[in-house]
Amino acid sequence: SRLSDGGMMERRHSQPKMRRGPLPQVVVRNFIAEVEPNILRAWLKIFDPEYRFHITSDQFCMGMERAGYAGDVYLLFQRLDTDNSGKLTLDEIDEDAAKLCLTFKQWCVASFESPLDMVYRLSRGKDYLSEEDFKLRCRLFDWKDGQEEWLWKGVALHNEEYVRPEMLKWMALGKEEHREKEELKKLAMKVHAVKIRERQMLAQALPQFKPYLKR
């Protein structure tokens, strides 16, 4: 109840609350946890084996169906895709996991020249990488965010005892993406430098033409 403008007591009838189902992020997390408890390994195995951390609606729907989801995958994707981008990122499912995964991928790309280099250096010169070496040696190469055991589940995607360079295609793709970005940065800097030089030349030439402009 509340006082109306005229001072009379006015009773406000509360509307019954609509029952809502669980959030779509919770639905996906709970479902893929049944397939694979580690969300990184689940995400990579079901949707995103190339470690891109973003997927299309087709990748999502086909992945959920292959994993045995019985609900409406298209409606579920629509509920998840709140920005109508037609894509889904890991952080829309689990923000903390996405942040750690992206940081790890960036560290790999920045710290090693190639998948072969990564395996060779972390394994102390072998051509395969074990979980023990991975967990012990990542920090020697300045990995500071921990969670090595959790991350290994994504590196050894199919629970392999050892990981070889050819199994780290995502890292090779990351290196290629990094190189492309660096090339674009260099090109942008060159274009910017040319524009600056053109403005400087124009500024230097303008005083010489001012007398002719006044005539």
Side-chain angles (χ1 to χ4, degrees):
S1 300
R2 67 177 178 84
L3 282 172
S4 66
D5 293 338
M8 297 288 291
M9 189 68 79
E10 180 180 85
R11 188 173 299 278
R12 175 177 286 175
H13 297 284
S14 59
Q15 295 292 328
K17 292 183 178 178
M18 292 181 65
R19 292 183 179 179
R20 295 182 178 179
L23 292 171
Q25 295 89 340
V26 175
V27 172
V28 175
R29 280 201 303 267
N30 289 345
F31 172 73
I32 64 178
E34 295 176 7
V35 179
E36 168 56 59
N38 181 286
I39 191 167
L40 172 59
R41 180 178 280 179
W43 169 271
L44 296 171
K45 285 174 72 173
I46 297 171
F47 307 120
D48 181 26
E50 294 182 346
Y51 264 69
R52 295 189 183 275
F53 301 122
H54 59 81
I55 55 174
T56 64
S57 60
D58 286 344
Q59 287 174 304
F60 174 80
C61 295
M62 287 189 293
M64 290 291 282
E65 287 176 344
R66 279 197 304 266
Y69 183 71
D72 188 333
V73 290
Y74 299 98
L75 178 60
L76 182 59
F77 182 85
Q78 287 177 0
R79 292 180 64 201
L80 287 164
D81 186 26
T82 53
D83 59 358
N84 296 316
S85 66
K87 293 183 178 180
L88 185 66
T89 56
L90 177 55
D91 69 299
E92 292 175 276
I93 303 298
D94 191 315
E95 188 174 351
D96 291 335
K99 190 180 297 184
L100 180 62
C101 293
L102 184 58
T103 302
F104 175 69
K105 182 180 178 181
Q106 290 171 340
W107 171 78
C108 290
V109 168
S111 302
F112 307 104
E113 291 300 317
S114 65
L116 179 62
D117 182 51
M118 179 176 172
V119 169
Y120 183 83
R121 293 168 74 184
L122 289 180
S123 69
R124 292 176 269 201
K126 296 189 285 289
D127 64 351
Y128 60 88
L129 178 62
S130 68
E131 181 178 1
E132 182 182 3
D133 279 339
F134 177 82
K135 291 192 293 187
L136 286 174
R137 291 179 60 79
C138 276
R139 298 194 186 201
L140 295 178
F141 290 89
D142 210 28
W143 171 250
K144 297 177 181 177
D145 289 74
Q147 301 291 334
E148 290 88 355
E149 185 173 353
W150 187 85
L151 287 164
W152 175 256
K153 303 288 187 183
V155 175
L157 193 53
H158 299 285
N159 206 30
E160 298 90 347
E161 185 177 0
Y162 300 111
V163 168
R164 299 184 182 276
E166 59 268 22
M167 298 162 67
L168 301 177
K169 292 179 181 178
W170 56 267
M171 198 250 180
L173 287 170
K175 290 295 292 186
E176 187 60 33
E177 289 171 357
H178 180 71
R179 279 192 288 269
E180 288 176 0
K181 286 178 182 178
E182 289 301 309
E183 288 299 320
L184 287 173
K185 281 183 185 177
K186 289 177 183 177
L187 180 60
M189 289 175 65
K190 286 180 180 178
V191 171
H192 183 63
V194 168
K195 287 182 178 180
I196 290 175
R197 283 198 298 271
E198 288 176 347
R199 290 195 195 105
Q200 290 172 341
M201 290 171 64
L202 182 61
Q204 291 170 358
L206 189 58
Q208 300 175 14
F209 285 96
K210 276 185 177 180
Y212 296 100
L213 295 174
K214 289 179 181 178
R215 292 178 183 178

